[in-house]
Amino acid sequence: MRIGGLQKCSLIDYPGKVACVIFTQGCNFRCPYCHNRELVLPKYFGDTIPQDDVINFLERRQHYLEGVVITGGEPTYQADLLDLLKQIKQMGYSLKLDTNGSCPDVLQEIIACGLVDYIAMDIKTSFEKYSKATGVRLPVERIKESIALIRGANVKYEFRTTVVRPFCEFEDIHKIVVELGGKQAYKLQPFKATEKIINPNIQSIDQFNEHEIESWKAKI
Ligand code: SF4
């Protein structure tokens, strides 16, 4: 298990819970606007944290933390993710998994084993633009399969999109909403460029602000 970082306490990453955040190292996507290049591009990888150290930390914090968030990189890209989830679950923690939805077979196993309590899945853009937004060729059927699995699972969940020009505009959000259908948690967030994004050219593109995105919500 490649663990690239550990945030010891967060009040915002697990809704309603005081949680720590485990960052897995490695991702199968190359989203040009990704902020986490040190968790995505091998040339920026730092030292990993031994899994035993993380488990020891969680044992010591059992009375202070309510939940654990596993994020990335892409956690489902890790060969031994299930072992880690099982270890954490046995300690009694609530578990939230953040995923890009590219590995529905792994998601299915996690759900079937009852290992997570909350899943947050990124939907990058409308399906026809997926390759452009993720920097890789991926059958979008896998994304659709993950959406269906999560919706059918007995866990809390949310879908979310970071709105980044030129990969995602109002028309794409509208298509996603139509695809999702019905009432469910779907969050939109504006994009703010930093110096560390994978493709620095994106820094010069004028992005949608919070007010513009709020007005889309009203329209939809
Ligand atoms: S934004 Fe997420 S899915 Fe995309 S490259 Fe970064 S970590 Fe991977």
Side-chain angles (χ1 to χ4, degrees):
M1 185 79 193
R2 298 189 64 88
I3 298 173
L6 173 66
Q7 186 181 335
K8 292 183 174 175
C9 185
S10 166
L11 302 177
I12 58 170
D13 288 280
Y14 196 142
K17 294 197 189 296
V18 180
C20 70
V21 185
I22 296 171
F23 297 87
T24 61
Q25 192 184 66
C27 185
N28 52 347
F29 283 2
R30 291 291 182 271
C31 308
Y33 48 86
C34 178
H35 290 285
N36 291 329
R37 67 183 184 189
E38 63 282 358
L39 294 171
V40 174
L41 301 178
K43 69 174 176 178
Y44 293 112
F45 283 180
D47 292 339
T48 54
I49 303 171
Q51 186 167 325
D52 285 348
D53 289 4
V54 174
I55 295 298
N56 288 340
F57 164 79
L58 290 174
E59 280 170 352
R60 291 197 304 276
R61 294 296 168 99
Q62 261 171 311
H63 297 298
Y64 306 102
L65 294 172
E66 301 166 288
V68 178
V69 178
I70 313 279
T71 190
E74 174 50 38
T76 63
Y77 187 52
Q78 302 283 330
D80 39 7
L81 174 66
L82 267 80
D83 290 341
L84 177 67
L85 296 181
K86 281 176 190 163
Q87 275 186 287
I88 297 172
K89 203 77 188 121
Q90 276 166 8
M91 283 186 252
Y93 283 106
S94 293
L95 259 169
K96 173 173 175 270
L97 175 73
D98 293 348
T99 179
N100 63 21
S102 58
C103 303
D105 45 339
V106 179
L107 267 183
Q108 187 169 31
E109 214 179 334
I110 289 169
I111 291 167
C113 295
L115 292 175
V116 291
D117 306 278
Y118 198 119
I119 301 176
M121 177 178 156
D122 288 334
I123 301 178
K124 303 293 183 186
T125 184
S126 58
F127 295 132
E128 60 263 38
K129 286 192 186 170
Y130 237 80
S131 298
K132 210 175 158 195
T134 59
V136 296
R137 291 197 177 278
L138 172 98
V140 287
E141 284 65 34
R142 280 159 62 178
I143 301 297
K144 292 181 185 179
E145 201 181 325
S146 291
I147 292 172
L149 274 169
I150 292 168
R151 292 173 72 177
N154 188 23
V155 296
K156 287 185 180 166
Y157 65 86
E158 68 185 48
F159 297 108
R160 58 195 187 187
T161 300
T162 303
V163 181
V164 192
R165 267 183 177 136
F167 310 105
C168 189
E169 316 239 358
F170 174 76
E171 294 70 28
D172 302 298
I173 298 299
H174 189 258
K175 284 178 187 169
I176 296 167
V177 170
V178 169
E179 185 73 31
L180 290 175
K183 283 189 177 178
Q184 58 204 295
Y186 179 44
K187 293 183 181 169
L188 299 180
Q189 51 196 33
F191 171 73
K192 289 187 182 76
T194 67
E195 284 174 3
K196 286 188 170 182
I197 55 176
I198 287 182
N199 181 349
N201 294 335
I202 302 217
Q203 286 178 51
S204 59
I205 298 173
D206 191 25
Q207 297 293 340
F208 297 108
N209 61 39
E210 275 179 37
H211 299 297
E212 287 168 297
I213 291 172
E214 275 303 313
S215 74
W216 295 359
K217 289 184 192 171
K219 257 200 231 177
I220 286 168

